[in-house]
Amino acid sequence: MRENFKTMPKSDKVFYVLVLLVLTAFFIIVLYPCIYVLSASFSSGTAVQSGRVVLWPVDPSLEGYKTVFNTPNVWIGFRNSLLYTFCGTALNIVLTITAAYCLSRRDLPGRGGITLFFTFTMFFNGGIITTYMVVRALGLLNTPLAVILPVGINVYNLIVAKTFIQNSIPGELLEAATIDGCSDIGYFIKIVLPLSKAIIAVLVLYYGVYHWNSYFNAMLYLHDKSIYPLTLFLREILMADQIDPSTVTDPELQARIAEAAGVIKYALIVVSMVPVMLLYPFIQKYFVKGVMIGSIKG
Amino acid sequence: MRKKEKALREMDAIMNHKPLKARVFQRWQLYLLLLVPVAFVLVFNYGPMAGLVIAFKNYNVRQGIFGSTWVGLDNFKEFFTSFRFPSIMKNTLVLSLYNLVVTFPIPIIFALLLNCLHGEKYKKVVQTVTYIPYFISTVVMVGLVFQILNNRSGLYGSFYQLINGTVGPNILAEGPLFKHIYVWSGVWQGTGYSAIIYIAALSNVDETLHEAAVIDGASRWQRVLHIDIPTILPTASIMLILAVGNIMNMGFEKVLLMQNNLNLDYSEIISTYVYKVGLASGINDFSLSTAISLFNSVVNFLLLILANFTSKRLSGNGIF
């Protein structure tokens, strides 16, 4: 309901102005660091080091990006991260959607028990040490599979998908399909999957962002730099205050890195965000939807 | 035609409650589909749970899980009596409670305010921009915090110099400030995302309630108190239960990345200590670290049950 601002009582006017001020303040607090990072990444190394960047780029230059793109590790990391994100998400989707379909079938004997089998893991887990032992026992240490298989299925996402299938696909379809002689697997492939495109999009976003951003499993399980995801190189560069000199052979480049440490970090932050930001229009469309489905108790 | 009849008979069987065996057999394809997902959860979620027995053993690689000797509660005793225990416990409680008290209500307030805002376009812009930070990875987020709070080249340094004319103190090296930096950077990153669920709940408010309240002369603030807040209360209690059930697991990755030798006295929490004892230091004491981790999980689980029970008693809302 939209009241007219002019005719409303004075106390309401004050209230609305306060609301506007508080929200705008918060909006600026969130937005400002984002703009600052973007501006700093396009400034010169010396301007960033001396703290002269405040809002817009100072001495605009691309030196940060040049150094980032001349660092082989960034390319290796980018490639590995894309690969892990793609394969990991594909596996996640297959596992999640099949399990969600089965759990959504009310005529599945033992459905309650199987659901509990999944959901219990949301609230109790073995912890990192014993998980590490399982991964080690399976011989997955230091292989790309170590960052893909252990997170094969996320139970929260499973519940979201199950709730969606239950609520959006009418039960009459199952009856009609069964009468026409459709098997359970046939019904899944021919009816459920085509009608679940929206939830699959949500799952792709959830899992994709998760894989792109995750670092801890990689840090635990991977030792060879050639299979590091981007986040591990980011951690090295952002936390350890320098790019590993042993990977940079060109002395001129080394000197430039020393001078431009700050701007490189900002450029790196921007580069690492590019894939997620490319997805942002889709995120806007589906992400909110996903959160809302998740909020309905299944 | 025969196929159709058979199918009809099957439907009939479901309706007429055939014996369990027959019903199970009819759904064999579903069990087949479930096989792989169940196997994954069994291996990677229940496998580690089974491994928790080493908390009660003196595990070493050579003897394996089964061959290692039982030591009862020795590992737990070792942790509870260690000189690090009081400070780790205190840090865990302080950080998680502080985090809960701040990051739980702020998204609710944000959603309530946003709901009051006039102008659909501005509302949309504010909402869209405020959940951008949610997509920043922990590594980048912590890197960003370090850069911005740098006392020489960061945003904080620039402003400090602008106002005071001198180089500011290095706030990243001051232990007591750790919790504030941790919690408030979390507010910056998570508020917009956490608010989505409340905004969705608020969009379902019955408009006639507001109209009736306006006719009765209720101010906007009174309508927030008596219409909007009761509307999101069920959602909020569920979110609170989940938050309490996760209280001991909070932000392990972020804390780990934010730790340095200067703030370690204030930033070492149970989960980071587990990681160090078990995997990151030279000691690699799997049994001790698993015991600590088990203690953490059990406390967490009990808190979840307690929160759920309390919420059910008070408001009738619970997750199980």
Side-chain angles (χ1 to χ4, degrees):
Chain A
M1 184 179 52
R2 293 283 152 256
E3 315 98 299
N4 190 341
F5 190 78
K6 275 179 194 154
T7 57
M8 69 176 64
K10 204 175 164 202
S11 62
D12 272 12
K13 278 185 195 168
V14 175
F15 179 73
Y16 278 115
V17 170
L18 272 178
V19 165
L20 189 68
L21 285 179
V22 172
L23 283 178
T24 307
F26 185 70
F27 177 61
I28 291 169
I29 289 171
V30 171
L31 190 61
Y32 180 52
C34 302
I35 295 176
Y36 176 80
V37 169
L38 210 56
S39 296
S41 74
F42 284 107
S43 300
S44 73
T46 44
V48 172
Q49 277 314 82
S50 57
R52 280 189 288 131
V53 179
V54 177
L55 183 62
W56 303 117
V58 178
D59 316 331
S61 88
L62 291 173
E63 59 177 301
Y65 289 97
K66 273 184 195 151
T67 322
V68 166
F69 289 126
N70 279 325
T71 312
N73 279 347
V74 172
W75 290 103
I76 296 172
F78 215 91
R79 184 201 63 197
N80 290 341
S81 277
L82 279 180
L83 192 71
Y84 300 158
T85 303
F86 184 79
C87 298
T89 309
L91 175 74
N92 293 147
I93 299 296
V94 172
L95 293 179
T96 309
I97 208 84
T98 43
Y101 161 67
C102 297
L103 295 182
S104 76
R105 288 283 298 261
R106 287 174 215 277
D107 54 348
L108 177 74
R111 174 172 176 257
I114 301 170
T115 308
L116 183 67
F117 169 82
F118 281 104
T119 48
F120 181 68
T121 63
M122 279 171 88
F123 304 112
F124 195 84
N125 59 65
I128 53 168
I129 307 296
T130 48
T131 310
Y132 178 88
M133 288 167 68
V134 168
V135 171
R136 190 182 62 181
L138 292 172
L140 297 177
L141 279 192
N142 207 20
T143 67
L145 289 179
V147 293
I148 295 176
L149 297 184
V151 287
I153 191 160
N154 176 303
V155 175
Y156 177 79
N157 291 346
L158 169 66
I159 302 299
V160 170
K162 182 198 129 196
T163 310
F164 175 89
I165 294 175
Q166 241 167 27
N167 295 346
S168 74
I169 301 178
E172 290 81 22
L173 273 180
L174 176 64
E175 271 171 46
T178 317
I179 290 166
D180 286 345
C182 196
S183 68
D184 289 340
I185 291 178
Y187 176 70
F188 174 54
I189 292 168
K190 288 184 207 138
I191 315 267
V192 175
L193 279 185
L195 289 175
S196 303
K197 278 186 198 132
I199 193 63
I200 292 176
V202 171
L203 292 178
V204 166
L205 285 174
Y206 275 176
Y207 282 122
V209 170
Y210 166 79
H211 281 290
W212 183 261
N213 285 342
S214 74
Y215 87 97
F216 187 71
N217 281 346
M219 187 172 93
L220 267 189
Y221 303 135
L222 308 182
H223 313 301
D224 289 342
K225 287 211 163 165
S226 60
I227 54 171
Y228 270 15
L230 184 62
T231 42
L232 278 193
F233 291 117
L234 280 173
R235 178 175 159 266
E236 255 174 26
I237 298 166
L238 294 176
M239 309 294 141
D241 251 21
Q242 57 177 349
I243 293 181
D244 184 2
S246 63
T247 61
V248 183
T249 43
D250 182 358
E252 209 179 300
L253 186 65
Q254 244 169 343
R256 250 199 357 246
I257 289 171
E259 189 204 84
V263 75
I264 291 173
K265 289 181 188 174
Y266 288 117
L268 247 184
I269 290 174
V270 174
V271 168
S272 76
M273 290 291 293
V274 165
V276 177
M277 285 299 123
L278 285 180
L279 281 179
Y280 206 67
F282 300 97
I283 287 175
Q284 257 185 293
K285 195 171 162 199
Y286 290 113
F287 202 73
V288 176
K289 209 178 189 174
V291 175
M292 280 152 75
I293 300 169
S295 69
I296 306 164
K297 217 176 137 190
Chain B
M1 198 60 213
R2 264 187 62 198
K3 219 175 170 186
K4 212 167 190 172
E5 261 169 32
K6 196 183 151 219
L8 273 173
R9 246 185 292 136
E10 271 184 27
M11 292 292 293
D12 235 40
I14 298 164
M15 301 303 168
N16 295 337
H17 291 284
K18 261 199 166 181
L20 184 67
K21 215 169 156 188
R23 279 187 289 144
V24 168
F25 186 71
Q26 254 167 2
R27 297 275 81 85
W28 67 273
Q29 289 190 337
L30 293 181
Y31 295 106
L32 186 71
L33 285 178
L34 271 171
L35 215 56
V36 181
V38 165
F40 262 85
V41 172
L42 206 59
V43 171
F44 291 108
N45 295 82
Y46 286 90
M49 282 187 222
L52 286 172
V53 295
I54 65 164
F56 307 95
K57 290 189 161 204
N58 186 6
Y59 173 79
N60 67 54
V61 183
R62 250 187 234 159
Q63 290 168 305
I65 294 175
F66 300 105
S68 300
T69 46
W70 290 95
V71 293
L73 296 174
D74 281 5
N75 290 312
F76 294 90
K77 276 183 206 145
E78 187 179 341
F79 175 55
F80 295 144
T81 52
S82 99
F83 75 100
R84 317 263 333 238
F85 177 70
S87 84
I88 290 173
M89 207 57 213
K90 188 187 139 213
N91 289 339
T92 309
L93 290 176
V94 167
L95 205 57
S96 43
L97 286 177
Y98 183 26
N99 193 48
L100 183 71
V101 166
V102 172
T103 57
F104 180 70
I106 286 184
I108 298 179
I109 296 169
F110 177 71
L112 287 171
L113 294 183
L114 200 66
N115 189 53
C116 290
L117 200 64
H118 282 251
E120 288 302 314
K121 260 198 183 148
Y122 187 56
K123 211 169 170 174
K124 187 103 196 154
V125 170
V126 172
Q127 208 200 332
T128 310
V129 167
T130 47
Y131 67 74
I132 290 180
Y134 176 77
F135 297 100
I136 299 174
S137 66
T138 318
V139 173
V140 170
M141 183 63 208
V142 174
L144 193 63
V145 169
F146 284 178
Q147 282 304 109
I148 283 181
L149 296 183
N150 189 299
N151 62 337
R152 291 179 188 278
S153 62
L155 208 52
Y156 152 73
S158 308
F159 275 97
Y160 194 94
Q161 262 174 351
L162 208 67
I163 296 164
N164 298 315
T166 52
V167 175
N170 184 2
I171 53 174
L172 292 169
E174 281 175 42
L177 292 178
F178 176 84
K179 57 177 180 291
H180 302 297
I181 297 173
Y182 172 84
V183 168
W184 291 98
S185 62
V187 169
W188 183 81
Q189 188 174 19
T191 299
Y193 171 74
S194 312
I196 295 178
I197 201 161
Y198 300 115
I199 293 168
L202 282 170
S203 68
N204 292 331
V205 175
D206 188 357
E207 283 288 278
T208 54
L209 281 178
H210 277 288
E211 278 159 25
V214 169
I215 291 166
D216 287 346
S219 70
R220 188 66 184 93
W221 170 241
Q222 282 172 319
R223 283 188 280 140
V224 168
L225 280 185
H226 299 290
I227 300 173
D228 292 346
I229 291 183
T231 305
I232 58 171
L233 216 53
T235 313
S237 48
I238 301 275
M239 297 312 279
L240 186 61
I241 297 170
L242 290 176
V244 170
N246 244 330
I247 199 162
M248 309 283 277
N249 295 336
M250 53 91 220
F252 159 66
E253 297 191 355
K254 193 173 158 194
V255 175
L256 191 67
L257 285 167
M258 284 178 68
Q259 278 177 346
N260 58 44
N261 290 331
L262 297 163
N263 64 24
L264 204 58
D265 287 342
Y266 296 87
S267 62
E268 190 80 289
I269 58 173
I270 294 179
S271 47
T272 57
Y273 189 63
V274 168
Y275 168 63
K276 282 172 199 167
V277 172
L279 295 164
S281 62
I283 329 162
N284 288 5
D285 191 335
F286 278 17
S287 279
L288 176 60
S289 54
T290 302
I292 304 171
S293 164
L294 179 59
F295 162 71
N296 196 42
S297 299
V298 168
V299 171
N300 216 342
F301 195 66
L302 292 179
L303 282 174
L304 176 76
I305 306 271
L306 188 72
N308 193 55
F309 177 78
T310 316
S311 169
K312 266 200 161 158
R313 266 293 167 84
L314 293 179
S315 68
N317 298 302
I319 49 172
F320 47 77

